[in-house]
Amino acid sequence: MRYLHLSTLFPRLVALLAVIFLVSCASLSSVADTSSIPGAQSNTSMANLPRLNGDATVVITVNDRPITIQVNGAAAPITAGNFVDLVNRGVYDGTVFHRVVREPQPFVVQGGDPQSTDPTVSPQLYGTGSFIDPKTNRPRYIPLEILGKGSSTPTYSQAGKVSPQLNHTRGAVAMARSQLPDSASAQFYIALQQLDFLDGNYAVFGYVTEGMDVVDSIQMGDRIQSAKVVAGLEHLQQP
């Protein structure tokens, strides 16, 4: 990962990266706990993953207020396809925003853990779940996908190797993952401010185009009431 000047930013980076990086203690983790699951590193073949061959628009409703996300399938076809597919399946409906970090400065809101809809699962475990593909009854993981500037083809599975076309500006929507590059599944986050030090290390696949004020108001424990694909579903290609 590329760091800024550590003399001034090290304390901030430690606090902020803890939100996205997986640690061994489940109560502190905030991304899918894939480190102990066989097959997490040897991710599902991309041929078996959904793709988005174009753009799509998703509307997420939180506290009766809409958040509109423009999903970029041209720059991130696998990542965007996975997200749109999960939205269309209703996977995100009822899921919890289990991490909200605004102090010491705005960072991210993070949610989308499918197991957070299960009343038998302890809230302490929110942030450790993945999407279980009903076809295989196994977690579905997607590779880290970064389209570099000046490139027509994304780079896969290589954190921090390219300068991305899709950056972590305020309102960027990206996939959360563990320290394994290819461990993203369902959980996503929305950047509350520009986060340059995450660029190239996490896969941005879209941006909030309306409702950023709603994102700013999200509190930990708030649920996604609904997530709908309102345009571009015809661009979703199933394996």
Side-chain angles (χ1 to χ4, degrees):
M1 176 179 291
R2 293 176 292 115
Y3 290 92
L4 302 181
H5 296 294
L6 296 185
S7 60
T8 58
L9 294 183
F10 183 76
R12 179 171 72 95
L13 290 178
V14 169
L16 297 185
L17 290 177
V19 177
I20 295 181
F21 274 133
L22 172 73
V23 295
S24 59
C25 177
S27 64
L28 295 179
S29 70
S30 59
V31 297
D33 185 354
T34 58
S35 58
S36 62
I37 300 175
Q41 290 178 299
S42 56
N43 188 69
T44 306
S45 168
M46 286 191 288
N48 295 324
L49 295 171
R51 299 178 63 94
L52 189 68
N53 300 313
D55 290 347
T57 305
V58 169
V59 174
I60 292 175
T61 302
V62 181
N63 296 325
D64 298 321
R65 301 173 67 194
I67 301 165
T68 302
I69 298 171
Q70 189 71 15
V71 183
N72 190 329
I78 298 297
T79 313
N82 177 72
F83 181 75
V84 170
D85 178 58
L86 296 183
V87 170
N88 195 49
R89 289 172 182 263
V91 169
Y92 291 122
D93 295 354
T95 56
V96 168
F97 285 99
H98 61 274
R99 286 291 184 274
V100 177
V101 179
R102 295 191 176 92
E103 298 295 338
Q105 58 188 328
F107 186 46
V108 301
V109 297
Q110 183 174 328
D113 183 348
Q115 69 179 353
S116 65
T117 64
D118 186 343
T120 67
V121 174
S122 169
Q124 291 186 333
L125 295 178
Y126 294 171
T128 64
S130 303
F131 167 64
I132 306 300
D133 191 331
K135 289 185 178 180
T136 63
N137 203 34
R138 298 183 61 187
R140 183 171 83 190
Y141 304 112
I142 59 173
L144 177 64
E145 180 180 52
I146 307 292
L147 181 64
K149 292 179 180 178
S151 177
S152 60
T153 304
T155 296
Y156 292 95
S157 309
Q158 301 293 316
K161 297 297 184 180
V162 297
S163 179
Q165 291 188 25
L166 302 184
N167 297 307
H168 281 79
T169 55
R170 173 172 158 82
V173 187
M175 294 302 293
R177 62 172 178 84
S178 77
Q179 293 183 14
L180 302 176
D182 298 342
S183 59
S185 181
Q187 295 179 51
F188 66 94
Y189 62 90
I190 302 174
L192 297 179
Q193 69 167 347
Q194 187 164 328
L195 304 171
D196 293 337
F197 61 92
L198 297 183
D199 285 348
N201 291 284
Y202 294 86
V204 174
F205 60 87
Y207 295 90
V208 173
T209 56
E210 294 181 51
M212 198 60 200
D213 58 325
V214 183
V215 177
D216 288 334
S217 71
I218 290 173
Q219 301 298 316
M220 191 166 67
D222 285 350
R223 291 186 181 271
I224 295 175
Q225 293 167 283
S226 67
K228 305 293 183 185
V229 184
V230 299
L233 186 59
E234 68 276 11
H235 296 150
L236 181 62
Q237 175 187 331
Q238 294 290 354

